[in-house]
Amino acid sequence: MAVRAVRGAVQLERDEAGHMSEQVGALLTAVLERNGLTTDDLISIWFTATPDLHSDFPAAAARKLGIVDVPLICAQELDVEGAMPRVVRVLAHIASDKPRADIVHVYLGAAALRKDIAQ
């Protein structure tokens, strides 16, 4: 079993706690499903949010999904001029036998971040 990392992001329509919870929950669910993972495969998750998001912690969405015994941390994304607004990014460390090339990174509504792999 190796430690792998899987990335993802979602662009929110608005800065509201319920909307953030819904969208980040959808992102985490997609990361797990598309990689054939369960919460037992998670080692830790880093969340970043752009400076214009301050209604809630993105990690709260993970707790609502039942991810309760995995270390989570939130940080603010760099405030770079011209960057996409209202974006939550995740970097999940996982235990997996999959080769690195088979990990599916998930970008929901954040196509401009990774046009090559956006969904």
Side-chain angles (χ1 to χ4, degrees):
M1 193 72 67
V3 174
R4 299 285 185 226
V6 58
R7 288 269 297 123
V10 63
Q11 185 177 33
L12 306 182
E13 295 175 14
R14 59 194 174 279
D15 183 26
E16 294 175 2
H19 180 63
M20 180 182 291
S21 180
E22 176 185 296
Q23 294 300 304
V24 173
L27 174 62
L28 292 172
T29 298
V31 165
L32 293 172
E33 288 176 355
R34 294 180 190 180
N35 286 287
L37 301 170
T38 69
T39 57
D40 287 338
D41 299 316
L42 296 170
I43 296 169
S44 65
I45 305 174
W46 282 80
F47 296 87
T48 65
T50 51
D52 53 359
L53 294 175
H54 40 77
S55 62
D56 202 359
F57 295 100
R63 299 296 185 219
K64 288 180 183 175
L65 287 178
I67 302 172
V68 296
D69 61 350
V70 174
L72 308 175
I73 192 164
C74 296
Q76 187 174 67
E77 189 69 35
L78 293 173
D79 191 9
V80 176
E81 187 175 332
M84 286 180 66
R86 301 175 318 279
V87 175
V88 174
R89 293 171 173 86
V90 300
L91 173 64
H93 298 97
I94 61 171
S96 177
D97 287 327
K98 283 186 175 190
R100 189 177 297 142
D102 292 345
I103 299 296
V104 179
H105 305 285
V106 180
Y107 293 83
L108 303 177
L113 292 172
R114 288 295 305 266
K115 291 179 181 168
D116 57 326
I117 58 175
Q119 290 87 40

Coordinates of all heavy atoms in Angstrom, one line a residue, residues 1-2 24 28 36 39 49 58 68-69 79 85 87 90:
M1 N 0.9 -1.2 0.0 CA 0.0 0.0 0.0 C 0.9 1.2 0.0 O 1.8 1.3 0.8 CB -0.9 0.0 1.2 CG -2.0 0.9 1.3 SD -3.4 0.6 0.2 CE -4.1 -0.9 0.8
A2 N 0.6 2.2 -0.9 CA 1.4 3.4 -1.0 C 0.6 4.6 -0.6 O -0.7 4.5 -0.6 CB 1.8 3.6 -2.4
V24 N -18.8 21.4 -1.5 CA -17.6 20.7 -1.0 C -17.9 19.2 -0.7 O -17.1 18.3 -1.0 CB -16.9 21.4 0.2 CG1 -15.8 20.6 0.8 CG2 -16.5 22.8 -0.1
L28 N -16.0 16.1 -2.5 CA -15.4 15.0 -1.7 C -16.0 13.6 -2.1 O -15.3 12.6 -2.3 CB -15.5 15.2 -0.2 CG -14.7 16.4 0.4 CD1 -15.1 16.6 1.8 CD2 -13.2 16.1 0.2
G36 N -12.6 5.0 -6.3 CA -12.9 3.7 -5.6 C -12.5 3.7 -4.1 O -12.0 2.6 -3.7
T39 N -13.8 6.1 3.3 CA -13.2 7.0 4.3 C -12.0 6.3 5.0 O -11.1 7.0 5.5 CB -14.2 7.5 5.3 OG1 -14.9 6.3 5.9 CG2 -15.3 8.3 4.6
A49 N -9.2 27.8 0.6 CA -10.3 28.6 0.1 C -9.8 29.9 -0.3 O -8.9 30.5 0.3 CB -11.4 28.7 1.1
P58 N -14.3 24.9 5.0 CA -14.6 23.8 4.0 C -14.6 22.4 4.7 O -15.3 21.5 4.3 CB -13.5 23.9 3.0 CG -13.1 25.3 3.0 CD -13.3 25.7 4.5
V68 N -15.0 11.7 10.2 CA -14.8 12.3 11.5 C -13.5 11.9 12.2 O -13.1 12.6 13.1 CB -16.0 11.9 12.4 CG1 -17.3 12.5 11.9 CG2 -16.1 10.4 12.5
D69 N -12.8 10.9 11.7 CA -11.5 10.5 12.3 C -10.3 10.7 11.4 O -9.3 10.0 11.6 CB -11.6 9.0 12.8 CG -11.9 8.1 11.7 OD1 -12.1 8.5 10.5 OD2 -11.8 6.8 11.9
D79 N -3.8 35.1 -2.5 CA -4.6 36.2 -3.1 C -3.9 36.7 -4.4 O -3.3 37.8 -4.3 CB -4.9 37.3 -2.1 CG -6.0 38.2 -2.6 OD1 -6.6 38.0 -3.6 OD2 -6.2 39.2 -1.9
P85 N -12.4 33.4 -8.6 CA -13.0 33.7 -7.3 C -13.8 32.5 -6.7 O -14.1 31.6 -7.5 CB -14.0 34.8 -7.6 CG -14.4 34.6 -9.0 CD -13.2 34.1 -9.7
V87 N -13.2 29.7 -4.9 CA -12.7 28.4 -5.2 C -12.3 27.7 -3.9 O -11.5 28.3 -3.1 CB -11.6 28.4 -6.2 CG1 -11.1 26.9 -6.4 CG2 -12.1 28.9 -7.5
V90 N -8.9 20.9 -2.7 CA -8.6 19.9 -1.7 C -7.3 19.1 -2.2 O -7.1 19.0 -3.4 CB -9.7 18.9 -1.5 CG1 -11.0 19.5 -1.0 CG2 -10.0 18.1 -2.8

